[in-house]
Amino acid sequence: MLKSLLRRRPLERQALDLYALAVEQARQPAFYTDLAVQDRIDARFEIYTLHVLLLFVRFRKEGDRGAELAQKLFDHYVSALDNVLRELGVGDVSVGKKMRKLGEALYGRMSTYEKALSDGDIEALKVAMARNIYETDDLSVADALARYAMDSHTKLASQTIAEVERAPEWAQIVR
């Protein structure tokens, strides 16, 4: 019995806990006040996606177990998107179409952001964030958020995997 108490949490539970931590960070008021992200469902989707991606990228660098945890985290996110659509009253027939459209957007964001983060390309990150989050071509509006994302990526990489699993330390949100 004692062994079962000391056993590591299953990856499924860990992924759910990590998803909750990503959502908690994405809900920080400073994104919407200091960084001028619009408090709309589509902009929140963008900020949630960014934080899930930051964790996803970090875990994928940790071999098979990390890749499995990253996948489970992603699966929780997709499941949460499905639930939100249903809560918003989207009918069962339409959910599939909406989820396909969201999935395409999600994949596009994650691919673009991951490449920019991996390459350390802050300008590419600004372009993508200005277009996707702020809906503008003015890169200056995305400067602080792009720096936050790059700094968070670096900060997460500097933490041990155990530290990230316990409580990821994000960069400070600065205007």
Side-chain angles (χ1 to χ4, degrees):
M1 183 166 127
L2 186 58
K3 279 187 179 182
S4 67
L5 290 174
L6 298 176
R7 201 173 27 208
R8 290 186 70 126
R9 293 182 296 174
L11 287 181
E12 187 73 30
R13 180 68 197 166
Q14 261 186 303
L16 185 56
D17 291 348
L18 286 164
Y19 173 72
L21 291 169
V23 167
E24 179 183 328
Q25 182 63 17
R27 288 182 174 163
Q28 294 300 308
F31 289 112
Y32 308 96
T33 56
D34 298 349
L35 302 187
V37 173
Q38 294 297 306
D39 192 5
R40 300 183 324 253
I41 193 164
D42 56 331
R44 283 186 176 269
F45 162 78
E46 298 291 347
I47 300 300
Y48 289 10
T49 298
L50 173 63
H51 286 89
V52 168
L53 172 70
L54 287 164
L55 291 176
F56 182 85
V57 168
R58 175 63 181 95
F59 284 112
R60 280 204 346 212
K61 295 180 179 181
E62 294 298 323
D64 290 344
R65 183 182 175 284
E68 187 178 353
L69 184 55
Q71 185 60 51
K72 288 190 180 303
L73 172 64
F74 179 79
D75 293 346
H76 278 297
Y77 185 42
V78 171
S79 177
L81 290 174
D82 182 88
N83 290 337
V84 165
L85 286 176
R86 292 176 191 282
E87 287 173 9
L88 290 172
V90 176
D92 287 339
V93 174
S94 300
V95 167
K97 292 176 187 173
K98 298 267 188 202
M99 281 302 296
R100 185 171 33 259
K101 191 172 184 177
L102 274 175
E104 290 169 3
L106 181 61
Y107 179 76
R109 269 39 162 208
M110 290 182 83
S111 297
T112 301
Y113 296 164
E114 182 176 6
K115 181 169 178 16
L117 290 166
S118 297
D119 294 348
D121 189 347
I122 192 98
E123 291 304 312
L125 204 50
K126 283 184 205 178
V127 168
M129 289 179 164
R131 182 182 62 244
N132 296 327
I133 298 171
Y134 295 98
E135 299 177 342
T136 183
D137 292 328
D138 180 2
L139 303 187
S140 67
V141 300
D143 184 64
L145 183 57
R147 280 187 283 112
Y148 163 82
M150 196 64 74
D151 292 349
S152 287
H153 176 68
T154 301
K155 197 163 198 156
L156 288 168
S158 72
Q159 297 167 55
T160 68
I161 197 65
E163 290 170 331
V164 176
E165 287 176 6
R166 217 175 13 262
E169 193 174 331
W170 309 95
Q172 186 176 357
I173 303 168
V174 180
R175 250 185 230 202

